[in-house]
Amino acid sequence: MKKIMLLTASHLAVLLAGFVLGIYLLPILTAPVTPSAAQVQAVAGQSDFKGSFRRDLAGSDLLHWGEGEVSVGRHAIALMGKIAPGPDYKLYLVPEFVENEAQFLQLKSRSQRVGDIKTFENFIVTVPDGVDVAQYTTVLVWCETFSEFISAAKYR
């Protein structure tokens, strides 16, 4: 009986580890081609604002972080840098700087979802028509599935 319980526990542990690893690796394996430095620099050259993702934000940790320079323009937002891999990342414009989940959730209804982030080294996200980036101060990466703060950068 003890052997059956140990085998069951070990198999469940391996199954759980595989599931967690799958959630982490699947977005990496299915990610589209990363924008080149030249593509990101072209967007940055047309941007009105700049900010930086930093790893030392209160809501960032070993699995949820971003680093690099963010360029915010009327037509596109680009990152020259990296963000931690994960599923279902969304880019938001936020009316004031936040650095953790609780702060963002208080402002989420006043924030503007810009689009999906599918790459984890450099990204370019098109700003939808009718969105005025000058009405916001901060760009934020959010994992919608798990309600996890990834990173934020104040650009204004």
Side-chain angles (χ1 to χ4, degrees), residues 48-89:
D48 303 310
F49 306 103
K50 303 242 186 267
S52 295
F53 284 154
R54 303 183 335 254
R55 285 184 181 236
D56 64 349
L57 298 177
S60 296
D61 58 32
L62 183 64
L63 297 175
H64 310 101
W65 54 268
E67 64 183 1
E69 185 172 305
V70 181
S71 301
V72 180
R74 283 176 254 151
H75 304 292
I77 298 172
L79 170 70
M80 177 70 80
K82 296 180 181 181
I83 55 176
D88 200 22
Y89 282 1

Side-chain angles (χ1 to χ4, degrees), residues 1-147:
M1 184 61 149
K2 189 175 185 179
K3 185 177 180 180
I4 292 173
M5 289 176 55
L6 284 173
L7 285 173
T8 301
S10 68
H11 282 75
L12 287 174
V14 169
L15 183 65
L16 178 64
F19 178 74
V20 170
L21 195 57
I23 287 174
Y24 182 77
L25 290 177
L26 186 61
I28 297 169
L29 296 173
T30 61
V33 176
T34 298
S36 70
Q39 291 170 309
V40 173
Q41 289 170 348
V43 172
Q46 298 175 7
S47 296
D48 303 310
F49 306 103
K50 303 242 186 267
S52 295
F53 284 154
R54 303 183 335 254
R55 285 184 181 236
D56 64 349
L57 298 177
S60 296
D61 58 32
L62 183 64
L63 297 175
H64 310 101
W65 54 268
E67 64 183 1
E69 185 172 305
V70 181
S71 301
V72 180
R74 283 176 254 151
H75 304 292
I77 298 172
L79 170 70
M80 177 70 80
K82 296 180 181 181
I83 55 176
D88 200 22
Y89 282 1
K90 307 297 181 197
L91 190 68
Y92 280 87
L93 295 173
V94 185
E96 58 190 68
F97 181 70
V98 297
E99 62 178 313
N100 63 43
E101 286 110 6
Q103 292 172 345
F104 177 61
L105 288 172
Q106 290 176 349
L107 294 174
K108 191 173 181 185
S109 65
R110 294 180 24 225
S111 300
Q112 174 67 49
R113 188 164 127 186
V114 178
D116 297 336
I117 298 173
K118 300 286 188 183
T119 59
F120 309 110
E121 180 174 345
N122 301 346
F123 65 67
I124 299 171
V125 177
T126 302
V127 175
D129 291 337
V131 174
D132 182 3
V133 298
Q135 291 182 358
Y136 302 90
T137 67
T138 301
V139 63
L140 181 137
V141 178
W142 179 255
C143 177
E144 204 72 52
T145 298
F146 296 106
S147 294

